[in-house]
Amino acid sequence: MESTNIHPTADWIFNQAKINIPNISLGTVYRNLKQLSDEGDIRTIHDGAIARYDCNKDRHDHLRCKVCGDLIDVQLFDDDLRKIVKKKYKFEADDVEMTIIGTCKKHTK
Amino acid sequence: MESTNIHPTADWIFNQAKINIPNISLGTVYRNLKQLSDEGDIRTIHDGAIARYDCNKDRHDHLRCKVCGDLIDVQLFDDDLRKIVKKKYKFEADDVEMTIIGTCKKHTK
DNA sequence: AATAATAATAGGAACTATTACTATTTAAGT
DNA sequence: ACTTAAATAGTAATAGTTCCTATTATTATT
Ligand SMILES: [Mn+2]
Ligand SMILES: [Mn+2]
Ligand SMILES: [Zn+2]
Ligand SMILES: [Zn+2]
């Protein structure tokens, strides 16, 4: 999984794993992903209704291209923004889930 | 639904609707919510694995308090941020889904 | 008002991602 | 080798959502 910078689903990982471990079960995939996520070794991201898993442990955000479906890592939510949230709304931010939907640079003519 | 500023689930709406329309079906709730959402009269927000519906049609973001569960409307992603995304990543942003998880002001002593 | 055409609905089946359960296998400790 | 504990495969169960269809309500047309 670390060999890719994609954001695979449990099902994708399951199918990849089957290449080397033909009789692995989907439950094992979910259990291990949950464990890794709980330990902070990977991140779980909610992409609409389904879960994706992210090896990029640094806090970051995503751009989702509605043309090609790519999910691109970006850094947008920074300490400045955290301070604004704190000052303006008196809200102590622990975590941020931000996905920007639009069109990536591959499709600009 | 407009009478509240909460972010109800389909199930919550279904149960509320049953008070006045005792034999309404869940499918009707989903169908009408989808229609309203498609027409832009409400917004669908993905809260983890489940869908919530939002009457606040203005583009806005959310703070989710992990203590009391509240989902608070805020305005964070602005045109400045959109321009940064455009300049830095050459990405044309159409829509943003941002939820900040943390602790709301009700719980600060 | 009666009839025909169209839209909306209830109720339930089907679907999909995920979780829970359990008997069996694998690994570790002595 | 024996005991204990952890991990797993396989399968059943769950939850949210969508799909389907016969029936009901609404609207348009004679
Ligand atoms: Mn990522
Ligand atoms: Mn809102
Ligand atoms: Zn693209
Ligand atoms: Zn709170």
Side-chain angles (χ1 to χ4, degrees):
Chain A
M1 177 171 166
E2 274 185 43
S3 67
T4 95
N5 65 337
I6 66 167
H7 298 85
T9 62
D11 198 62
W12 186 93
I13 295 164
F14 176 52
N15 283 297
Q16 285 300 115
K18 269 200 287 204
I19 295 168
N20 295 318
I21 312 157
N23 60 344
I24 192 172
S25 84
L26 187 53
T28 299
V29 172
Y30 273 110
R31 180 166 26 76
N32 289 330
L33 284 170
K34 184 175 191 316
Q35 191 175 312
L36 287 165
S37 191
D38 287 348
E39 289 166 358
D41 295 326
I42 62 172
R43 298 187 134 250
T44 304
I45 57 190
H46 297 282
D47 180 19
I50 77 165
R52 292 183 178 276
Y53 299 89
D54 197 334
C55 293
N56 184 349
K57 281 185 260 182
D58 303 327
R59 120 118 291 284
H60 67 283
D61 312 295
H62 293 104
L63 309 177
R64 178 170 48 240
C65 178
K66 58 168 63 167
V67 180
C68 62
D70 271 14
L71 206 57
I72 304 153
D73 286 1
V74 294
Q75 183 58 60
L76 281 173
F77 192 89
D78 52 14
D79 233 45
D80 288 352
L81 217 43
R82 186 185 304 269
K83 277 172 194 155
I84 290 171
V85 172
K86 176 77 189 186
K87 187 165 281 179
K88 203 167 168 188
Y89 305 106
K90 295 182 184 9
F91 188 92
E92 193 65 53
D94 297 333
D95 199 8
V96 183
E97 288 177 19
M98 168 157 40
T99 302
I100 299 171
I101 297 103
T103 311
C104 82
K105 62 182 175 188
K106 284 193 280 179
H107 320 289
T108 42
K109 45 179 169 352
Chain B
M1 176 171 165
E2 275 185 41
S3 66
T4 95
N5 64 337
I6 65 167
H7 298 85
T9 61
D11 199 62
W12 186 94
I13 294 164
F14 176 52
N15 282 298
Q16 285 300 114
K18 270 200 287 201
I19 295 168
N20 294 319
I21 312 157
N23 61 342
I24 192 172
S25 84
L26 188 54
T28 299
V29 172
Y30 273 110
R31 180 166 27 77
N32 289 329
L33 285 170
K34 184 174 192 315
Q35 191 175 312
L36 287 165
S37 192
D38 287 349
E39 288 165 0
D41 295 326
I42 61 172
R43 300 189 132 249
T44 303
I45 57 190
H46 298 282
D47 180 20
I50 77 164
R52 294 182 176 276
Y53 299 88
D54 198 332
C55 292
N56 184 346
K57 281 185 260 182
D58 302 327
R59 120 118 291 284
H60 67 283
D61 312 296
H62 293 104
L63 310 177
R64 179 170 47 240
C65 177
K66 58 169 64 166
V67 180
C68 63
D70 272 13
L71 206 58
I72 304 153
D73 285 2
V74 293
Q75 184 57 60
L76 280 172
F77 193 89
D78 52 14
D79 233 46
D80 288 353
L81 217 43
R82 185 185 304 270
K83 276 172 194 156
I84 290 171
V85 171
K86 177 77 188 186
K87 188 164 279 178
K88 203 167 169 189
Y89 305 107
K90 295 181 184 11
F91 188 93
E92 193 64 53
D94 296 334
D95 198 9
V96 182
E97 288 178 19
M98 167 158 40
T99 302
I100 300 171
I101 297 101
T103 311
C104 82
K105 61 181 174 187
K106 284 193 278 179
H107 320 288
T108 41
K109 45 180 172 343

